[in-house]
Amino acid sequence: MRKSRRALLATIGTVGFAGCAGVMGSDDPSTDRPGDDTATNGTTPTPTGTGPSGGTDAPGTGTPTDGTPGTGTPSPSLGTDVGTQIEGFEDLEYWYALSNQGSVTAASEGAYDGSQSLRLRADGDDAFAGAFTSFGDPRDFSGKNVSLAVKIAKPELMKLSVALLAPDTDNMVRMTRTFPGPVDTWVRSDMGTTAVRGDPDLTQVQEVRLVARRRDQADEQIDVTVDDLRVADAPDTGYVTLTFDDSHESHYETAFPIMEEYGFAGVEGIISDAIYGGDRLDVGMMSEMSNAGWDMASHPYVGNTFLTEYSAEEQRRRITRNKEFLTQKGFDDGARHFLTPKNVVGPETMEIVADEHESLYTFGGMPNGLPQTTGYYNSRITAADTRPVRDAIDNAARFGQHLVLNCHAIGTGAGSLPEDDLRALLEHIDGADVEVVTCSDVLEMRSQD
């Protein structure tokens, strides 16, 4: 059983759990324009406002004036029968605020599961909103992956971490995810390992910590609700998927033959408006890649804005039009998958994608825990030949998780991945205990669970 109330832990240092650094040093959502090289511009997205079509983004029900979180709309999931629930937050007696940062309260309105959820809130004076619980007898998390349900009210772009102290702060596993929307909507997140400290013994987990932190907005209020914390048996091996956004010709000319040398197939994010344009793919190139096992996935054109800034009607038009291009050209398998342009996701986006596709991928900055509890909130990270990315590959192997890497153009231009870096990255993947899979392979694995 859990310990009775005890003194709160000392404030965590900058290298501790509260730091929530994630697996990447920089993780700003990227831009994509068919007529220009794709690059990370270093700016923070503003995922609301009036879209070019005149519609406005309507992010769920909002936060009512009584201070209780809005009910929101659940995102698509595989149900709550995947794994075992270890915390439903029906009793918060043994959950405490971490390091006196923010508050921990029950949220009864719109609970994801049961009668209530756990709500983390912090004002601008607090660096984060954190909660922890500890166990009288250590818990065994070995060979398990963790998932939970999350609903964000504020800020619109934030990070959430789950940490397992095994058994203490010197020996811990941390899972940190960036959430680029949707607000006021329940999403499930299959958490993946982003940092390992010391030599954790996951048969001896003494404490679980949750921390919500602003991604960029230094003074904005934090208001996040979590529920249905679950564990499931991890697979014996890890998996890596390589995605290539924006239909760059360099994906065919450079990445495709290098991937072939290793026997790897990738996932191409197709912008239908870009095909046959300038330095972009044509259908013949797409067919050759598809015949070699690649997925031709949907990655609609959104111009210089975010998909969420368009009305729901315009979002649906762009999403369905791009998918129809793929199916009309015979790429039905790849058309099942949606690679979110610019990464920002709204409630309408989730609903429309669920109508049209079987999976959604967006930036998350971490590997994905397996088995999946949802296919509609898969995390990607930016591909680069860096120590953090190599660590992410190794973590996917060690913990039986699914890492999705994202590349744009291959070459020397702004925002491009140099050919030598791609080769070095593939060499590391080839030497790791992982299997390279496509999005369609992941669906197949899910159907066999």
Side-chain angles (χ1 to χ4, degrees), residues 188-365:
R188 284 211 64 87
S189 182
D190 296 314
M191 302 298 287
T193 303
T194 54
V196 178
R197 181 187 295 171
D199 186 20
D201 180 357
L202 290 175
T203 68
Q204 299 291 312
V205 173
Q206 194 68 60
E207 197 167 293
V208 176
R209 297 181 177 184
L210 307 173
V211 165
R213 178 178 286 276
R214 305 168 187 88
R215 168 61 179 82
D216 286 308
Q217 307 91 328
D219 299 323
E220 190 169 348
Q221 184 185 38
I222 296 172
D223 190 349
V224 178
T225 309
V226 300
D227 206 345
D228 194 31
L229 183 65
R230 307 180 75 83
V231 296
D233 291 335
D236 294 332
T237 187
Y239 299 89
V240 172
T241 296
L242 292 111
T243 63
F244 298 81
D245 283 2
D246 305 342
S247 312
H248 291 284
E249 187 178 38
S250 61
H251 299 163
Y252 173 81
E253 297 290 351
T254 305
F256 179 44
I258 298 174
M259 293 272 284
E260 286 280 274
E261 293 176 16
Y262 289 92
F264 297 162
V267 178
E268 182 67 38
I270 296 295
I271 301 175
S272 60
D273 300 278
I275 300 305
Y276 290 108
D279 58 352
R280 305 293 163 142
L281 300 176
D282 60 36
V283 173
M285 297 172 184
M286 292 168 59
S287 295
E288 188 175 343
M289 297 164 77
S290 177
N291 290 338
W294 285 53
D295 280 334
M296 297 295 113
S298 186
H299 186 63
Y301 175 62
V302 293
N304 295 321
T305 187
F306 296 101
L307 185 58
T308 53
E309 293 185 282
Y310 292 101
S311 67
E313 181 181 6
E314 179 62 15
Q315 288 186 54
R316 184 174 294 276
R317 188 189 74 82
R318 288 173 181 265
I319 290 169
T320 57
R321 179 173 175 269
N322 210 70
K323 179 190 174 184
E324 287 170 356
F325 170 84
L326 292 170
T327 57
Q328 289 169 0
K329 301 299 182 183
F331 304 112
D332 299 76
D333 283 350
R336 296 178 294 172
H337 315 294
F338 184 83
L339 309 184
T340 307
K342 298 191 193 307
N343 297 305
V344 178
V345 180
E348 297 93 344
T349 316
M350 301 287 286
E351 294 176 9
I352 297 165
V353 171
D355 288 343
E356 299 292 337
H357 300 278
E358 296 181 47
S359 65
L360 177 149
Y361 292 77
T362 189
F363 182 82

Side-chain angles (χ1 to χ4, degrees), residues 27 29 44-50 56-63 122 150-160 177-185 187 212-224 306-309 342-349 362-364 377:
D27 52 18
T44 301
T46 306
T48 57
T50 303
T56 58
D57 185 31
T61 58
T63 302
V150 181
K151 182 168 63 176
I152 301 161
K154 298 177 182 179
E156 293 178 278
L157 185 65
M158 61 146 289
K159 290 179 180 249
L160 179 75
R177 175 162 193 158
T178 298
F179 287 77
V183 295
D184 294 313
T185 301
V187 294
R213 178 178 286 276
R214 305 168 187 88
R215 168 61 179 82
D216 286 308
Q217 307 91 328
D219 299 323
E220 190 169 348
Q221 184 185 38
I222 296 172
D223 190 349
V224 178
F306 296 101
L307 185 58
T308 53
E309 293 185 282
K342 298 191 193 307
N343 297 305
V344 178
V345 180
E348 297 93 344
T349 316
T362 189
F363 182 82
Y377 209 64

Side-chain angles (χ1 to χ4, degrees), residues 77 79-82 84-90 112-114 116-118 146-150 186 188-189 226-231 373:
S77 71
T80 54
D81 57 348
V82 179
T84 303
Q85 185 183 84
I86 60 169
E87 182 60 82
F89 302 103
E90 293 297 290
Y112 179 87
D113 182 61
Q116 67 178 34
S117 307
L118 181 146
V146 175
S147 69
L148 76 167
V150 181
W186 282 110
R188 284 211 64 87
S189 182
V226 300
D227 206 345
D228 194 31
L229 183 65
R230 307 180 75 83
V231 296
T373 62

Side-chain angles (χ1 to χ4, degrees), residues 109-166:
E109 284 290 324
Y112 179 87
D113 182 61
S115 65
Q116 67 178 34
S117 307
L118 181 146
R119 189 179 185 187
L120 298 171
R121 288 201 292 178
D123 295 323
D125 293 337
D126 292 321
F128 59 89
F132 75 93
T133 190
S134 58
F135 309 114
D137 296 317
R139 299 288 182 88
D140 186 354
F141 280 69
S142 59
K144 307 289 186 183
N145 278 324
V146 175
S147 69
L148 76 167
V150 181
K151 182 168 63 176
I152 301 161
K154 298 177 182 179
E156 293 178 278
L157 185 65
M158 61 146 289
K159 290 179 180 249
L160 179 75
S161 291
V162 179
L164 307 177
L165 278 62

